[in-house]
């Protein structure tokens, strides 16, 4: 059934009564007119035209009508205006008509003939309540969809803006790099050691700026997951991350221990590799123990979640800074002490959040750090 286009909510609920007997239409009108605006029709065709013209919250229809039966009318009314609530008025004996109305017309309820005024009023009141709740639901869904669309647009614009800025910033940086290169080789007389020292400084700054721009772009690009999340072996993911870090592990003489029972999670393998690469490389980098140790393990989480942790025996993080390190470009150390741009943990947090999870850190200075992330368990391996 297609979505009905939103129609302005009536000031008073409109009720439509359809019955080929004029007296019945009048009786129902009389009964309900104090609370609602009541419209009447004695032919199904006329009723359908009324429904097309005015927003009607509830329609009541008699089953036995000469041109079109009540259940056939409801099937058509539902096709045209699925949001209007439908109530059948029928004799007890018409059980087949009732079944058809339920199946094809998705009626809200029925009133058996001969109906009592209280019964009819009560049924209409319940239908109106139902309409109000459904309408609120529809409005909220629409508002959410609108807000999502705006957010998506803002995100796209931000991404486009970042690309332009990144491109424009890189251009002069390339020129600076080229000039420093010329100054190193082409000057006559050549630069003295002091000049070369300054040139090294300029070059280091330019390279750092390049890395910052690249990381900023990488960060803004992780704003959604392209494909649906699928069952992903974490052992495979962590293995891939370690392949990328092979050099760093070897250079630091580090020990990396990966649990055998890493689960299969709902995930995006590429993004998860990036996540573990960041966490494990931090565990190696911010570490002065000999040997540096990093452990990747798992503990059961609540419901269908698992908690995966990356633990190191590194320098640790003071409690006061344990939130801010997840912000982009936040660092606690000078670059001369530990290299980096400060984008890694912001990327980690964004990836976990795109997986519907969260990341926290437990740490104390000098006592190593444990990053804990929740992910959703999947049943079947990829
Ligand atoms: P980067 O590694 O480029 O500095 P991150 O965003 O990955 O950036 O980390 C932000 C900061 O958090 C780091 O500069 C460091 O001060 C701190 N940090 C991250 N991981 C660890 C860790 N395992 N142990 C100690 N400090 C850490």
């Amino acid at each position: 059934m297609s979505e009905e286009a939103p129609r302005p909510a009536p000031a008073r609920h409109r009720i439509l009564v359809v019955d080929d007997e004029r007296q019945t239409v009048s009786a129902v009108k009389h009964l309900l007119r104090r609370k609602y605006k009541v419209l009447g029709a004695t032919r199904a065709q006329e009723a359908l035209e009324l429904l097309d013209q005015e927003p009607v919250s509830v329609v009541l229809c008699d089953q036995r009508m000469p041109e079109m039966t009540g259940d056939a009318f409801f099937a058509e009314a539902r096709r045209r205006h699925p949001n209007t609530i439908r109530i059948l008025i029928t004799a007890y004996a018409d059980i087949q008509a009732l079944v058809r109305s339920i199946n094809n017309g998705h009626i809200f309820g029925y009133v058996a003939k001969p109906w009592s005024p209280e019964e009819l009023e009560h049924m209409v009141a319940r239908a109106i309540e139902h309409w109000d709740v459904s309408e609120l639901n529809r409005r909220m869904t629409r508002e959410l969809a609108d807000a999502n669309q705006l957010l998506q647009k803002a995100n796209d614009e931000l991404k486009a803006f970042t690309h332009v800025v990144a491109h424009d910033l890189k251009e002069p940086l390339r020129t600076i790099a080229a000039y420093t290169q010329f100054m190193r080789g082409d000057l006559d007389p050549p630069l003295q050691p002091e000049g070369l020292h300054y040139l090294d400084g300029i070059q280091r700054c330019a390279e750092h700026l390049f890395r910052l721009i690249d990381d900023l772009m990488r960060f803004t690009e992780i704003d959604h997951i392209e494909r649906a999340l699928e069952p992903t072996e974490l052992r495979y993911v962590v293995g891939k991350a370690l392949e990328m870090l092979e050099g760093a592990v070897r250079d630091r003489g580090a020990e990396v221990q990966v649990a055998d029972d890493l689960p299969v999670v709902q995930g995006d393998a590429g993004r998860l590799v990036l996540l573990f690469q960041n966490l494990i490389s931090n565990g190696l980098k911010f570490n002065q123990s000999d040997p540096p140790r990093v452990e990747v393990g798992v503990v059961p989480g609540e419901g269908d979640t698992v908690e995966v942790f990356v633990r190191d025996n590194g320098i640790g993080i003071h409690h006061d800074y344990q939130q801010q390190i997840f912000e982009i470009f936040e660092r606690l150390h000078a670059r001369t002490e530990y290299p980096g741009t400060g984008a890694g943990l912001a990327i980690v947090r964004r990836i976990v959040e795109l997986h519907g999870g969260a990341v926290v850190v437990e740490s104390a200075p000098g006592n190593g750090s444990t990053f804990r992330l929740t992910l959703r368990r999947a049943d079947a391996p990829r």
Side-chain angles (χ1 to χ4, degrees):
M1 184 102 342
S2 63
E3 255 304 289
E4 188 174 359
R7 302 209 271 183
R12 269 210 305 171
H13 281 288
R14 282 187 176 75
I15 312 282
L16 172 61
V17 190
V18 194
D19 197 314
D20 58 323
E21 284 180 27
R22 210 167 281 282
Q23 305 93 294
T24 314
V25 173
S26 299
V28 178
K29 269 184 159 182
H30 186 75
L31 177 71
L32 301 175
R33 72 172 176 206
R34 254 177 302 128
K35 286 195 185 150
Y36 315 106
K37 179 164 193 257
V38 192
L39 313 168
T42 50
R43 291 175 45 243
Q45 198 52 44
E46 182 194 348
L48 288 172
E49 279 163 22
L50 271 174
L51 282 180
D52 288 344
Q53 286 158 15
E54 303 207 33
V56 170
S57 309
V58 178
V59 55
L60 297 123
C61 182
D62 184 36
Q63 169 61 14
R64 298 230 170 129
M65 294 197 301
E67 287 166 18
M68 192 189 264
T69 57
D71 62 276
F73 166 74
F74 277 144
E76 179 58 18
R78 174 182 166 231
R79 194 185 67 74
R80 295 195 196 183
H81 304 287
N83 298 344
T84 301
I85 309 265
R86 297 165 291 277
I87 297 173
L88 183 73
I89 302 176
T90 184
Y92 272 126
D94 255 350
I95 191 78
Q96 287 307 324
L98 191 57
V99 169
R100 282 197 304 275
S101 293
I102 291 171
N103 287 344
N104 306 329
H106 287 199
I107 55 168
F108 173 74
Y110 74 95
V111 179
K113 277 178 165 177
W115 44 266
S116 72
E118 297 78 40
E119 190 189 355
L120 192 94
E121 253 184 314
H122 181 66
M123 176 60 87
V124 171
R126 273 184 47 217
I128 290 290
E129 253 172 43
H130 187 80
W131 193 92
D132 283 343
V133 172
S134 310
E135 178 57 18
L136 184 67
N137 202 355
R138 283 191 292 270
R139 213 181 57 227
M140 282 164 63
T141 310
R142 275 198 305 272
E143 282 172 8
L144 194 66
D146 288 350
N148 262 340
Q149 213 175 10
L150 276 180
L151 195 65
Q152 184 62 45
K153 191 163 164 271
N155 248 337
D156 289 348
E157 281 170 6
L158 183 67
K159 216 151 96 176
F161 172 78
T162 313
H163 266 94
V164 172
V165 172
H167 181 264
D168 289 355
L169 287 178
K170 276 186 173 179
E171 217 34 62
L173 268 181
R174 281 199 194 93
T175 315
I176 291 174
Y179 277 124
T180 52
Q181 209 55 39
F182 295 151
M183 288 176 78
R184 244 178 238 289
D186 296 355
L187 286 188
D188 189 17
L191 275 180
Q192 295 303 301
E194 200 181 4
L196 284 172
H197 172 74
Y198 290 141
L199 216 51
D200 286 345
I202 294 173
Q203 208 161 2
R204 267 199 309 276
C205 278
E207 281 164 9
H208 182 61
L209 211 47
F210 257 119
R211 272 196 294 274
L212 280 173
I213 295 169
D214 282 342
D215 280 352
L216 181 63
M217 275 175 64
R218 206 164 297 148
F219 177 71
T220 48
E221 269 158 18
I222 307 176
D223 63 345
H224 67 288
I225 301 260
E226 280 96 23
R227 286 166 292 123
L229 299 181
E230 52 185 9
T232 305
E233 288 263 15
L234 270 195
R235 270 164 68 98
Y236 162 84
V237 164
V238 175
K240 277 274 161 214
L242 284 174
E243 266 175 36
M244 313 274 209
L245 295 170
E246 212 180 301
V249 173
R250 196 176 341 103
D251 291 350
R252 298 291 325 266
E255 289 175 7
V256 180
Q257 193 186 333
V258 180
D260 289 333
D261 57 349
L262 286 188
V264 179
V265 297
Q266 279 300 111
D268 174 311
R271 292 273 155 85
L272 288 177
V273 170
L274 186 60
L275 178 153
F276 282 98
Q277 210 180 317
N278 275 311
L279 287 181
I280 298 170
S281 84
N282 278 351
L284 300 173
K285 180 166 65 171
F286 299 102
N287 202 321
Q288 288 172 358
S289 297
D290 191 17
R293 273 198 202 96
V294 176
E295 180 191 352
V296 183
V298 61
V299 289
E302 279 175 22
D304 67 345
T305 64
V306 283
E307 190 182 285
V308 183
F309 64 85
V310 178
R311 177 175 295 144
D312 64 58
N313 60 345
I315 59 173
I317 304 158
H318 191 283
H319 181 267
D320 291 354
Y321 305 117
Q322 290 179 6
Q323 298 284 333
Q324 91 187 43
I325 51 169
F326 290 99
E327 302 298 329
I328 182 109
F329 299 150
E330 283 288 349
R331 313 197 68 235
L332 307 180
H333 305 277
R335 255 185 309 126
T336 43
E337 248 184 307
Y338 297 99
T341 62
L345 287 181
I347 290 176
V348 165
R349 182 169 70 177
R350 196 167 258 201
I351 294 176
V352 182
E353 286 175 354
L354 285 175
H355 282 74
V359 55
V360 291
V361 63
E362 277 164 19
S363 182
N367 276 334
S369 307
T370 304
F371 287 83
R372 299 185 180 279
L373 28 125
T374 43
L375 292 170
R376 268 189 39 237
R377 188 184 280 282
D379 296 329
R382 196 166 55 156

